[in-house]
Amino acid sequence: MKDEVLILGIESSCDETAAAVVKNGREVLSNVIYSQIDLHKLYGGVVPEIASRKHIEKINQVIKKALEDANVTWDDIDAIAVTYGPGLVGALLVGVAEAKAISFALDKPLVGVNHISGHISANYIQDKNLEPPFLCMVVSGGHTHLVMVNDYGEYDILGRTRDDACGEAFDKVARAIGLGYPGGPKVDKLSKEGNKEAIHFPRAVITDYPLDFSFSGLKSAVLNHINSSKMKGEEVNVADIAASFQDCVVDMIVSRTMLAAEEKKVKDIALAGGVAANSGIRNGLKNACAEHGYNFYCPDFIYCTDNAAMIASAGYYEYIKGTRHGYDLNAVPNLKL
Ligand code: KG4
Ligand code: ZN
């Protein structure tokens, strides 16, 4: 194995078209992200067809810029890592087809990467010393997983959501209180102006599976609160709703993470995924870790939401283990971790 392995990462699973060059899984040489958010905002959520079409339009430009920013040529790239699931099938296909074409044309190894494994690996970029085993709480728009990272790319899922993903709950509540898409950052901002004790929303617990999550009841509780306030002619304080909702989510995440950490006797706890950008969750988990004596890890905001550097990092650890995919690699929308 060479001393320096450069991986080109490609990510197109949802509404970000992204490419990045990463050295040895940890050092980001470039990280280019074309966000489609402004396009999808008009429709209140991601429109899969529009996402696929935009990925096709942008992917070559984004990859070219990733090579330029990294100041490297195709000759310097050792392998192509691409997200092949989970995600929107049409969107994934664009990245997968692109990666296969590059791999074939330049005779470079192709490594398919699980998007969630990518989110977890964002922590390797952030902290050069973090090594498995550790516990990782993954909270994104489509996924909520409490994961034991046993080794690079080797995971045990300890808890998962039974219904909505955490980010989905943020986006739905945002819509209910009249904030636009994507709702997560807006709820986060508004919550700072509200009183988190104003409304007590239920903290759902699944009796036999205490590490699992359920967010749909919380979303319904928010809607019920809005409707019953309106029926009683009471003013709906959206900042209080945002603060109380966020506090409830933070409680659910922190309590389960602490429970799992105790069970698994870990020293290190990481956070990952788009919702890891949430100030309440970041601070809540950071404080709980400090209180209980765990080391806390969390990627910078830019590596929390979808990006290709995290895919290149996960791809690097697959590559050095010998994982290779053929030209029959396909998009797998419901790929499991
Ligand atoms: O990981 P991600 O970029 O895409 C998926 O893989 O799903 O996550 C996007 C999700 C969206 O639901 C968005 O509302 C949420 O992350 N999000 C936030 C914040 N920033 C992004 N949720 C809460 N607070 C934030 N600050
Ligand atoms: Zn994601």
Side-chain angles (χ1 to χ4, degrees):
M1 184 72 63
K2 292 160 58 188
D3 288 349
E4 281 192 358
V5 174
L6 258 53
I7 306 279
L8 171 75
I10 300 176
E11 156 64 37
S12 71
S13 66
C14 192
D15 59 347
E16 264 92 27
T17 320
V21 178
V22 174
K23 185 158 98 181
N24 293 345
R26 303 259 178 175
E27 192 184 329
V28 179
L29 304 188
S30 65
N31 186 33
V32 181
I33 304 169
Y34 169 75
S35 171
Q36 306 179 359
I37 281 180
D38 286 343
L39 272 173
H40 299 286
K41 244 184 209 165
L42 299 168
Y43 307 95
V46 178
V47 183
E49 288 302 316
I50 295 179
S52 316
R53 232 176 296 153
K54 210 64 196 173
H55 284 311
I56 294 175
E57 240 176 86
K58 290 288 169 185
I59 198 151
N60 282 319
Q61 296 166 30
V62 164
I63 292 173
K64 188 164 172 267
K65 182 147 182 6
L67 293 176
E68 280 168 12
D69 287 1
N71 205 11
V72 299
T73 68
W74 283 114
D75 282 346
D76 303 313
I77 300 293
D78 294 288
I80 319 295
V82 63
T83 306
Y84 73 108
L88 302 168
V89 68
L92 287 164
L93 270 174
V94 178
V96 169
E98 177 83 11
K100 287 198 285 193
I102 296 170
S103 161
F104 179 71
L106 303 178
D107 195 21
K108 305 256 181 208
L110 175 69
V111 180
V113 170
N114 181 307
H115 182 78
I116 309 295
S117 181
H119 274 303
I120 295 170
S121 304
N123 282 288
Y124 300 135
I125 293 170
Q126 189 64 37
D127 198 299
K128 311 277 180 272
N129 299 317
L130 175 66
E131 286 188 11
F134 61 92
L135 186 68
C136 188
M137 181 69 236
V138 186
V139 275
S140 79
H143 308 275
T144 308
H145 288 334
L146 188 48
V147 179
M148 184 66 211
V149 182
N150 297 316
D151 203 343
Y152 293 102
E154 285 179 29
Y155 308 110
D156 277 335
I157 299 178
L158 307 176
R160 68 181 83 224
T161 180
R162 294 297 183 98
D163 38 58
D164 292 348
C166 189
E168 215 175 327
F170 268 96
D171 292 337
K172 285 178 178 169
V173 165
R175 197 175 307 158
I177 57 177
L179 308 172
Y181 177 84
K186 293 184 175 155
V187 171
D188 194 0
K189 194 160 167 233
L190 186 61
S191 72
K192 297 192 170 80
E193 293 162 27
N195 171 11
K196 65 180 185 177
E197 321 233 297
I199 313 149
H200 184 80
F201 290 124
R203 274 79 171 146
V205 176
I206 297 156
T207 320
D208 295 337
Y209 297 89
L211 298 180
D212 275 0
F213 297 84
S214 169
F215 292 105
S216 74
L218 170 57
K219 175 199 66 194
S220 305
V222 171
L223 293 174
N224 288 342
H225 172 82
I226 296 170
N227 290 336
S228 69
S229 302
K230 279 185 183 158
M231 275 182 337
K232 287 188 232 155
E234 290 170 5
E235 191 203 338
V236 176
N237 185 327
V238 286
D240 282 352
I241 295 178
S244 303
F245 161 77
Q246 185 162 304
D247 188 54
C248 180
V249 174
V250 173
D251 258 8
M252 290 201 276
I253 287 178
V254 170
S255 60
R256 281 154 180 84
T257 311
M258 290 302 120
L259 192 61
E262 205 182 309
E263 251 179 59
K264 291 284 163 185
K265 308 215 175 328
V266 293
K267 290 197 312 283
D268 300 321
I269 297 180
L271 186 61
V275 190
N278 183 271
S279 61
I281 297 174
R282 285 170 96 93
N283 291 332
L285 208 50
K286 187 175 160 201
N287 294 339
C289 284
E291 201 179 305
H292 292 87
Y294 301 115
N295 302 314
F296 176 66
Y297 301 84
C298 186
D300 273 350
F301 292 108
I302 195 69
Y303 299 120
C304 283
T305 43
D306 290 348
N307 65 88
M310 67 184 197
I311 302 303
S313 174
Y316 167 79
Y317 288 103
E318 290 299 327
Y319 174 77
I320 58 172
K321 264 197 278 182
T323 304
R324 302 288 183 269
H325 285 92
Y327 301 131
D328 58 351
L329 179 69
N330 207 349
V332 183
N334 57 356
L335 183 68
K336 299 282 176 282
L337 189 65

